[in-house]
Amino acid sequence: MRIPKLFRKMLQRQALSNWQGGVCWSDEGIALASVQGMHEEEGTPRIRTCLWTPWEGPAGNAPLLHTLASSHGLLKTPFNFCLDMDSYDLFPNEAADVGKEELASAMKWIVRDRLSFSVDEAVVDCFFIPDPIRLQQQRRVYVVATRKSVIQEHLNLLRPARLRLQAIEVTELALNNIMAYLPESQEGVALLYYPPGKEAGCLMVARDGHLYFTRRMRTVGTEPTLFGADPLDALADEVQRALDFVTATFTQAPVTALYLLAPTESDPVLREPLARRLNVRLKRLRMENFLDSNLAMEDADFLRCLPALGEALRPVEVID
């Protein structure tokens, strides 16, 4: 998401760079990633850094963040930060009939009754949903809302760490940046993402870098049955309905692959049953399959680093 005007003046304007970094954190640890080649017209960006380090929460850890960036030569690299999924609301809504510059401010008051906190405490941004096959009179957007205090807490860590912060975005947009580099991106690709230790994941469907659909998905535990009913049936039905909706509404062609990203303890419970139930090919995500990299990472650490890697792959823009 774009930095709200309230905070943009705190950030230094950056010139374009061939390097770009991403960072995210939770109470369990911090992930840092950087790529090279974001401004090259041809070729795939190369991953230069991708690491996860445990900590006991972000409070007071600006020196650690500074040390990590410094030790990998990234203090002069433009960075983007990814918000944790638990720290914001995200939902679709009809767009206000105003100009692009006034859209976020207008949407803040339109959706005030849907927020989980006071509108006076809200920072709101939004991004357009691609036009459907049958054009509607009113465009639709995804609305992102978080508390001002959440943004301020992150800036209180990022500023003393002396990172060159460009943007603050949400997990769904970070993952969409990754999906744009997957082999099936041009035809349409889906991703089912369950971050470690979270109560919910998200399902996303994108094509050629455009995010058509996203929805939070309930977590399915390692137990295969619940009260005599198989929760995977309900999950598979929800996923298939979403894929069919995107096909009918936007693309007219079915999604060609679904990437499942889940913690190691949940992956085997989900993968084979979903592969049997869904009308789409289920795939694993490996860094070397879609980006230029010679890094070796454990699957668990790679999963934790995905939002940071997605932010390192954020399409480059000039900050006004």
Side-chain angles (χ1 to χ4, degrees), residues 14 20 57 134 185 197 276 278 306 312:
Q14 306 300 338
Q20 190 165 244
R134 296 178 178 83
S185 175
R276 292 195 304 266
L278 294 173
L306 279 176

Side-chain angles (χ1 to χ4, degrees), residues 3-14 151-152 155-156 159 163 165:
I3 305 296
K5 290 182 179 179
L6 178 63
F7 300 107
R8 284 174 66 86
K9 63 183 180 181
M10 302 179 185
L11 308 178
Q12 183 179 9
R13 295 180 181 179
Q14 306 300 338
I151 300 295
Q152 187 62 62
L155 290 176
N156 288 344
R159 285 186 295 163
L163 297 187
L165 182 63

Side-chain angles (χ1 to χ4, degrees), residues 18 35-47 180-182 290-293 313:
N18 196 41
V35 300
Q36 186 180 15
M38 288 299 296
H39 303 282
E40 297 177 2
E41 294 184 2
E42 298 182 0
T44 303
R46 297 172 293 281
I47 302 177
Y181 288 94
L182 296 178
F290 68 102
L291 290 175
D292 183 0
S293 173
L313 293 168

Side-chain angles (χ1 to χ4, degrees), residues 29-263:
I30 180 172
L32 193 71
S34 68
V35 300
Q36 186 180 15
M38 288 299 296
H39 303 282
E40 297 177 2
E41 294 184 2
E42 298 182 0
T44 303
R46 297 172 293 281
I47 302 177
R48 311 302 295 184
T49 309
C50 194
L51 60 90
W52 182 82
T53 300
W55 64 12
E56 295 180 355
N61 266 317
L64 173 59
L65 179 54
H66 176 83
T67 299
L68 285 173
S70 177
S71 63
H72 290 85
L74 300 175
L75 285 183
K76 295 182 180 181
T77 300
F79 264 87
N80 305 308
F81 174 73
C82 185
L83 290 170
D84 186 271
M85 286 180 63
D86 291 342
S87 66
Y88 59 88
D89 295 336
L90 187 148
F91 47 84
N93 204 91
E94 286 191 351
D97 190 15
V98 297
K100 186 176 179 180
E101 293 300 322
E102 293 80 34
L103 183 59
S105 297
M107 294 306 300
K108 176 178 178 179
W109 296 101
I110 290 174
V111 303
R112 61 185 181 276
D113 294 334
R114 301 184 64 180
L115 303 181
S116 60
F117 44 85
S118 169
V119 67
D120 294 328
E121 295 298 318
V123 174
V124 171
D125 203 353
C126 47
F127 55 95
F128 281 105
I129 298 173
D131 288 329
I133 295 169
R134 296 178 178 83
L135 294 180
Q136 301 172 347
Q137 185 175 4
Q138 195 72 18
R139 292 203 66 182
R140 292 180 64 81
V141 294
Y142 278 109
V143 178
V144 180
T146 188
R147 298 175 186 267
K148 295 177 183 177
S149 59
V150 169
I151 300 295
Q152 187 62 62
E153 287 171 6
H154 295 320
L155 290 176
N156 288 344
L157 181 59
L158 288 162
R159 285 186 295 163
R162 290 190 285 170
L163 297 187
R164 294 177 57 182
L165 182 63
Q166 294 184 130
I168 296 176
E169 284 195 325
V170 295
T171 300
E172 288 83 356
L173 288 179
L175 296 177
N176 184 54
N177 297 336
I178 290 176
M179 295 170 75
Y181 288 94
L182 296 178
E184 302 84 1
S185 175
Q186 295 292 324
E187 293 77 28
V189 62
L191 188 147
L192 182 57
Y193 169 70
Y194 285 105
K198 297 298 181 182
E199 292 298 323
C202 66
L203 172 67
M204 302 171 53
V205 185
R207 184 179 182 183
D208 197 21
H210 301 289
L211 182 59
Y212 286 91
F213 177 92
T214 183
R215 176 183 293 170
R216 296 289 171 90
M217 304 293 286
R218 63 188 180 282
T219 298
V220 177
T222 57
E223 293 297 326
T225 61
L226 179 66
F227 302 120
D230 192 339
L232 287 171
D233 283 338
L235 176 62
D237 287 344
E238 189 170 358
V239 171
Q240 191 62 57
R241 283 196 300 270
L243 299 180
D244 293 342
F245 167 79
V246 172
T247 298
T249 306
F250 297 105
T251 63
Q252 291 187 306
V255 170
T256 58
L258 174 106
Y259 286 80
L260 174 61
L261 307 174

